């Protein structure tokens, strides 16, 4: 998937669209995507000017966006302007190495289960074959009009 197709599935736009390309996916199972990290990213202005480091929360967000792409492809639907993907939980998040300008964050996401509208994934982000971040993510897809309702 190129960036045009990614944008047809995700509502995110600059500066929060954090997936540049999908390298491969297997419907209902796994997806591999990349985020090219450049010095021009807005967050590097303040995190940190003397040693630019991609914030961990944005690495988690990039993996969640990758997971959302896999879910939409698995369901065989494109979200409409009323669709919203929400985090339900993040378990076991670990940050193993910093990610900075010039790095390519490769995100491997695997569906662990989908039950009662809650998707659970295992996600690993790596740079040059070294794990940078890993976590189990739980998300749900809702209509924006139902967003005030509890997830479960």
């Amino acid at each position: 998937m190129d960036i045009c197709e990614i944008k047809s599935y995700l509502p995110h736009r600059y500066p929060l669209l954090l997936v540049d390309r999908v390298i491969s996916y297997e419907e209902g199972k796994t997806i591999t995507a990349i985020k090219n990290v450049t010095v021009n990213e807005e967050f590097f202005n303040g995190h940190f000017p003397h040693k630019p480091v991609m914030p961990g929360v944005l690495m988690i967000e990039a993996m969640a966006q990758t997971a959302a792409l896999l879910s939409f492809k698995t369901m065989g639907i494109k979200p409409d302007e009323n669709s919203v993907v929400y985090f339900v939980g993040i378990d076991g998040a670990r940050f193993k190495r910093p990610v900075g300008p010039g790095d390519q964050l490769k995100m491997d996401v695997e569906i662990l289960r989908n039950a009662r509208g809650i998707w659970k994934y295992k996600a690993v982000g790596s740079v040059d074959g070294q794990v940078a971040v890993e976590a189990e993510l739980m998300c749900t897809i809702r209509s924006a009009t139902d967003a005030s309702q509890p997830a479960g």
Side-chain angles (χ1 to χ4, degrees):
M1 293 174 72
D2 66 12
I3 192 63
C4 294
E5 188 175 358
I6 290 166
K7 287 168 72 173
S8 75
Y9 282 92
L10 296 179
H12 307 79
R13 295 297 180 263
Y14 177 84
L16 273 175
L17 179 57
L18 299 173
V19 180
D20 292 323
R21 178 171 294 281
V22 171
I23 298 169
S24 65
Y25 70 92
E26 186 176 349
E27 215 171 271
K29 296 187 179 187
T30 63
I31 189 168
T32 299
I34 58 171
K35 164 65 177 145
N36 294 308
V37 182
T38 73
V39 74
N40 297 320
E41 310 281 354
E42 283 289 324
F43 50 80
F44 286 139
N45 290 325
H47 200 267
F48 301 96
H50 62 285
K51 175 64 176 147
V53 175
M54 184 175 186
V57 68
L58 293 180
M59 290 189 275
I60 297 287
E61 174 66 22
M63 293 190 306
Q65 289 178 19
T66 301
L69 288 167
L70 179 58
S71 293
F72 286 127
K73 292 294 272 184
T74 295
M75 293 185 296
I77 63 168
K78 283 192 178 181
D80 61 23
E81 64 279 347
N82 202 27
S83 299
V84 184
V85 179
Y86 287 109
F87 270 122
V88 177
I90 303 168
D91 294 329
R94 297 289 181 266
F95 302 93
K96 308 280 187 166
R97 93 183 273 293
V99 175
D103 286 340
Q104 185 177 75
L105 182 63
K106 178 180 165 204
M107 298 164 289
D108 293 297
V109 177
E110 172 188 358
I111 296 172
L112 297 177
R113 74 173 175 265
N114 174 19
R116 296 182 358 198
I118 305 292
W119 294 76
K120 186 171 185 177
Y121 318 88
K122 177 183 178 187
V124 178
S126 60
V127 175
D128 296 329
Q130 293 180 313
V131 174
V133 58
E134 59 188 4
E136 286 190 355
L137 310 175
M138 290 174 285
C139 301
T140 188
I141 301 166
R142 297 274 184 210
S143 161
T145 55
D146 296 335
S148 61
Q149 302 301 316

